[in-house]
Amino acid sequence: MIAANAFAPYAPLAEALIPHAADVGDGSHDLAHIHRVFGNAMRIHSGEGGDGDVLAASVLLHDCVAVEKNSPLRSQASRLAAEKASEILASLGWQQTKIDAAAHAITAHSFSANIEPQTLEAKILQDADRLDAIGMVGAARCFYIAGRMGSALYDPVDPLAKDRPLDDRAFAIDHFETKLFKLADGFKTQMGRDMARERHDRLKQVLALFLDEI
């Protein structure tokens, strides 16, 4: 278990929120993921500003409701997490304006929710979470999730889907084209965009090396 002091300077807040933060059964959305997103968010926050308390809380609780990738409720996951986070923060005595700000950030962070972030904190959380979906870690998470879903790594007959529709439920590497390669163009903060370009290049290299070996 990652200790609350790993979330400094928001360790007291982390201590209160970690018990609610993650699904321990999903290694792609576990506390390690939240800690990586926190690191990304704090790096962006240092250059872009924003309310640190709202940002830290929204990072810690952005995956507090677990919905599998293949669930019909997947597009509702961030809304459900925002509702639960609002209840948790209210129980800690937070002001309603800050609760609402954290809830919006959580609701808007999800790719599948397709909600435009309206506040700086929401933009930072979305960028910070998407940074963990690209680069080397993003590739590892892609293959991990494919294993959970029972997908094959690739179509041995047509790995690049030249003569078939892309199907990332059936083949892991199809997810690079259907989603992961599209993420870098949607970052909302300048620092997030800068970090995304580097990780996008790494992600392309991962796929190129993978294809070279098959």
Side-chain angles (χ1 to χ4, degrees):
M1 173 73 73
I2 296 173
N5 59 14
F7 295 88
Y10 301 97
L13 179 62
E15 187 171 6
L17 298 183
I18 281 174
H20 309 282
D23 174 14
V24 295
D26 181 356
S28 65
H29 294 91
D30 56 4
L31 196 56
H33 162 69
I34 291 170
H35 186 250
R36 292 191 303 271
V37 174
F38 178 80
N40 294 336
M42 291 299 104
R43 183 173 171 185
I44 298 171
H45 171 58
S46 70
E48 304 279 349
D51 186 314
D53 290 320
V54 168
L55 183 58
S58 64
V59 168
L60 282 156
L61 295 175
H62 77 278
D63 282 337
C64 67
V65 172
V67 180
E68 289 284 6
K69 289 287 187 183
N70 59 356
S71 169
L73 294 176
R74 181 61 191 171
S75 64
Q76 300 299 313
S78 64
R79 178 184 61 79
L80 296 171
E83 291 174 358
K84 181 178 177 180
S86 296
E87 295 174 359
I88 294 166
L89 295 175
S91 73
L92 297 179
W94 273 44
Q95 296 178 351
Q96 191 61 47
T97 53
K98 289 205 170 194
I99 294 173
D100 292 343
H104 169 66
I106 293 168
T107 302
H109 91 274
S110 170
F111 183 86
S112 57
N114 196 28
I115 295 171
E116 189 68 19
Q118 300 298 321
T119 64
L120 179 55
E121 295 79 19
K123 292 174 182 178
I124 293 174
L125 175 59
Q126 187 181 97
D127 282 4
D129 187 59
R130 291 185 182 184
L131 282 167
D132 206 50
I134 56 179
M136 299 298 293
V137 170
R141 292 177 72 212
C142 175
F143 291 122
Y144 172 87
I145 292 168
R148 283 175 62 87
M149 299 298 104
S151 305
L153 291 177
Y154 63 97
D155 180 351
V157 176
D158 186 6
L160 289 177
K162 293 179 179 179
D163 297 308
R164 63 172 176 84
L166 288 164
D167 183 359
D168 61 355
R169 289 181 180 267
F171 308 113
I173 67 168
D174 282 24
H175 195 58
F176 284 65
E177 290 291 346
T178 59
K179 178 181 177 181
L180 302 185
F181 285 154
K182 299 176 181 178
L183 293 178
D185 291 334
F187 279 67
K188 306 301 182 183
T189 67
Q190 184 58 55
M191 187 168 288
R193 285 190 289 272
D194 292 343
M195 295 168 70
R197 277 194 294 270
E198 181 178 359
R199 296 198 188 192
H200 179 75
D201 289 343
R202 294 177 188 172
L203 192 64
K204 290 173 66 176
Q205 187 177 16
V206 169
L207 182 59
L209 292 171
F210 183 93
L211 293 169
D212 182 64
E213 294 186 8
I214 63 172

